[in-house]
């Protein structure tokens, strides 16, 4: 079931159109990535979800509510159900961790349940920091406070805009783990803006790739990365330097055969030599998936292709650059 449905969304700043006909569905309980280079429109799109950014036309439906048509009161209530975290943690420096976390509750005039806040502190791993002030915390700890604060109102949706870009890589990993945990334990849907492919690959089940205000492609992570079309390949900067001689075959390893030593077996079964000329084996959402390009003699084409088909591998012959001057 979808929590967010976006249809034909357009948004301009003055005469510049920054979101062009966006269509997206985001499932309840999922972790969805919005990926793209700087200026693609990721933050703007994310901010339309809670009405922080107005739209020119189209529709954003969140949990059955048409965001751009809500009365101020209903919009306020909706915003209370949507948490947000940013690259810069925007904590209040004159308040301690506990006071920062309960701030949204105080603003909404909701009685603070101490036990719940304690549980939140525990969830984000800061049970011993309740009385500390932001200045005494590391970047990762500050982001944990910001996450706890975003969760204080028990949101159905958590929006994350580059929440890990200001952190060291090893701390990034821990924060991503925390977000994954929150999604699993609390069932909060997470929409995550990032320009880092690694973040998408580790965390998201689905994603949308944005370029110059448009969604280039969206769908399940493994589909996006495993069989990218030429546009996506360019976007990912996948730059294969392949031999000009012989035949290059690109093999995709979907979930079911990722661990299978299909390549070494092929060499043995077909009794032939070939070179692995390009490879990219990665972990998507904890599952190892990959792409390999092998170079074979033209004369072996039929045997190799038949073998790959019999193994259930997805493959394609890589076109030589000179054959396709426009690519
Ligand atoms: N308040 C604004 N007024 C005018 N133009 C804006 C405003 N906010 C954003 N833009 C423009 O809209 C476009 C999309 O910006 P946005 O911040 O959504 O990109 P982004 O994908 O989040 O980029 P980054 O990765 O750098 O954060 C950019 O060209 C930007 O200059
Ligand atoms: Mg941004």
């Amino acid at each position: 079931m979808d929590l967010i449905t976006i249809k034909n969304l357009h948004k301009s700043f003055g005469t510049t159109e920054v979101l062009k006909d966006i269509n997206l569905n985001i499932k309840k309980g999922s972790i969805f990535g919005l990926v793209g280079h700087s200026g693609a429109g990721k933050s703007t799109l994310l901010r339309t979800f809670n009405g922080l950014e107005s739209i020119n036309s189209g529709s954003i439906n969140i949990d059955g509510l048409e965001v751009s048509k809500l009365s101020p009161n209903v919009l306020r209530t909706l915003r209370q159900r949507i948490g947000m975290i940013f690259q810069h943690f925007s904590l209040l420096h004159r308040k301690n961790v506990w006071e920062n976390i309960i701030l949204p509750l105080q603003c909404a005039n909701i009685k603070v349940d101490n036990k719940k806040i304690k549980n939140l502190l525990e969830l984000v791993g800061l049970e011993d920091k309740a009385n500390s002030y932001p200045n005494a915390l590391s970047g990762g700890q500050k982001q944990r406070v910001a996450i706890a604060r975003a969760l204080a109102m028990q949101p159905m949706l958590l929006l994350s805009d580059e929440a890990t870009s200001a952190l060291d890589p090893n701390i990034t990993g821990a924060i991503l783990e925390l977000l994954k945990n929150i999604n699993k334990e609390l069932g909060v849907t997470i929409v995550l803006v990032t320009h880092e492919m690694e973040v998408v690959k580790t965390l998201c089940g689905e994603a949308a790739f944005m370029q110059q205000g448009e969604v280039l492609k969206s769908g399940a992570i493994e589909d996006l990365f495993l069989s990218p079309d030429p546009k996506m390949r360019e976007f990912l900067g996948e730059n294969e330097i392949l031999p000009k001689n012989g035949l290059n075959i690109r093999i995709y390893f979907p979930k079911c055969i990722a661990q299978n030593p299909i390549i070494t077996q092929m060499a043995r079964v077909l009794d032939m030599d070939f070179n692995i000329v390009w490879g990219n084996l990665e972990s998507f959402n904890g599952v190892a998936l990959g792409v390999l390009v092998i170079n074979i003699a033209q004369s072996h084409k039929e045997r190799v292709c038949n073998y790959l088909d019999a193994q259930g591998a997805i493959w394609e012959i890589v076109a030589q650059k000179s054959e396709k001057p426009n690519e």
Side-chain angles (χ1 to χ4, degrees):
M1 202 179 119
D2 292 332
L3 180 67
I4 305 174
T5 310
I6 300 169
K7 283 194 189 132
N8 307 109
L9 176 97
H10 290 261
K11 158 87 187 168
S12 301
F13 286 114
T15 54
T16 317
E17 193 171 38
V18 294
L19 295 176
K20 304 166 189 167
D21 200 33
I22 308 284
N23 291 281
L24 279 181
N25 297 301
I26 300 176
K27 290 192 192 82
K28 210 172 221 161
S30 65
I31 305 185
F32 191 97
L34 287 175
V35 204
H37 301 303
S38 188
K42 308 177 296 289
S43 299
T44 307
L45 179 59
L46 197 74
R47 289 161 58 84
T48 64
F49 291 7
N50 54 6
L52 285 177
E53 212 63 84
S54 65
I55 63 173
N56 292 77
S57 63
S59 147
I60 307 172
N61 193 295
I62 298 195
D63 203 29
L65 298 172
E66 188 57 47
V67 177
S68 61
K69 301 214 166 75
L70 300 179
S71 68
N73 269 339
V74 181
L75 180 61
R76 200 174 309 125
T77 317
L78 176 68
R79 279 185 184 155
Q80 289 176 355
R81 300 168 62 208
I82 304 178
M84 205 164 183
I85 52 174
F86 311 90
Q87 178 175 4
H88 301 293
F89 327 107
S90 55
L91 302 178
L92 295 186
H93 286 268
R94 291 167 67 183
K95 292 191 182 285
N96 68 23
V97 167
W98 182 278
E99 290 161 344
N100 266 286
I101 294 174
I102 63 170
L103 212 60
L105 296 162
Q106 291 179 326
C107 290
N109 266 324
I110 295 171
K111 195 175 171 296
V112 175
D113 180 336
N114 288 347
K115 180 131 197 307
K116 275 194 181 143
I117 303 300
K118 271 197 185 129
N119 287 344
L120 261 184
L121 275 169
E122 218 168 281
L123 178 72
V124 301
L126 291 178
E127 48 275 55
D128 55 342
K129 297 285 182 194
N131 299 318
S132 300
Y133 284 81
N135 284 342
L137 301 176
S138 70
Q141 288 169 336
K142 282 182 198 160
Q143 193 56 288
R144 286 169 189 274
V145 179
I147 291 170
R149 183 185 54 188
L151 295 175
M153 297 282 285
Q154 296 178 288
M156 57 169 173
L157 175 63
L158 179 64
L159 305 177
S160 164
D161 194 347
E162 305 277 12
T164 55
S165 354
L167 304 174
D168 290 350
N170 54 336
I171 293 163
T172 294
I175 295 290
L176 296 181
E177 235 358 88
L178 174 61
L179 290 177
K180 202 167 202 163
N181 196 25
I182 284 164
N183 169 258
K184 214 168 94 194
E185 299 280 314
L186 309 177
V188 181
T189 306
I190 300 179
V191 181
L192 181 137
V193 160
T194 183
H195 60 271
E196 294 166 286
M197 279 325 154
E198 283 315 309
V199 172
V200 191
K201 288 178 191 167
T202 18
L203 211 60
C204 302
E206 291 184 36
F209 287 86
M210 294 186 68
Q211 196 171 47
Q212 291 169 2
E214 287 179 277
V215 171
L216 203 64
K217 203 132 197 199
S218 66
I221 292 299
E222 56 263 39
D223 296 338
L224 290 171
F225 284 98
L226 268 189
S227 32
D229 58 15
K231 258 187 179 173
M232 268 293 287
R233 211 165 274 149
E234 188 185 323
F235 183 91
L236 295 170
E238 198 169 277
N239 205 0
E240 302 164 19
I241 303 160
L242 304 176
K244 296 264 183 297
N245 300 324
L247 193 66
N248 296 312
I249 300 183
R250 185 185 287 114
I251 308 166
Y252 300 107
F253 293 84
K255 268 180 198 156
C256 46
I257 62 166
Q259 315 289 349
N260 230 337
I262 186 168
I263 293 299
T264 48
Q265 268 173 22
M266 184 165 87
R268 240 177 304 142
V269 173
L270 300 186
D271 188 25
M272 72 172 59
D273 287 328
F274 53 81
N275 294 314
I276 294 172
V277 291
W278 192 88
N280 197 8
L281 220 67
E282 303 182 80
S283 161
F284 298 96
N285 223 338
V287 182
L289 297 170
V291 186
L292 274 185
V293 180
I294 59 170
N295 182 269
I296 60 167
Q298 282 283 356
S299 55
H300 289 157
K301 178 178 170 185
E302 205 179 319
R303 286 172 67 208
V304 169
C305 294
N306 288 343
Y307 181 85
L308 290 173
D309 278 340
Q311 298 299 312
I314 304 166
W315 59 272
E316 65 187 5
I317 308 259
V318 183
Q320 294 286 1
K321 280 267 183 312
S322 54
E323 286 172 25
K324 287 192 176 177
N326 295 331
E327 242 180 48

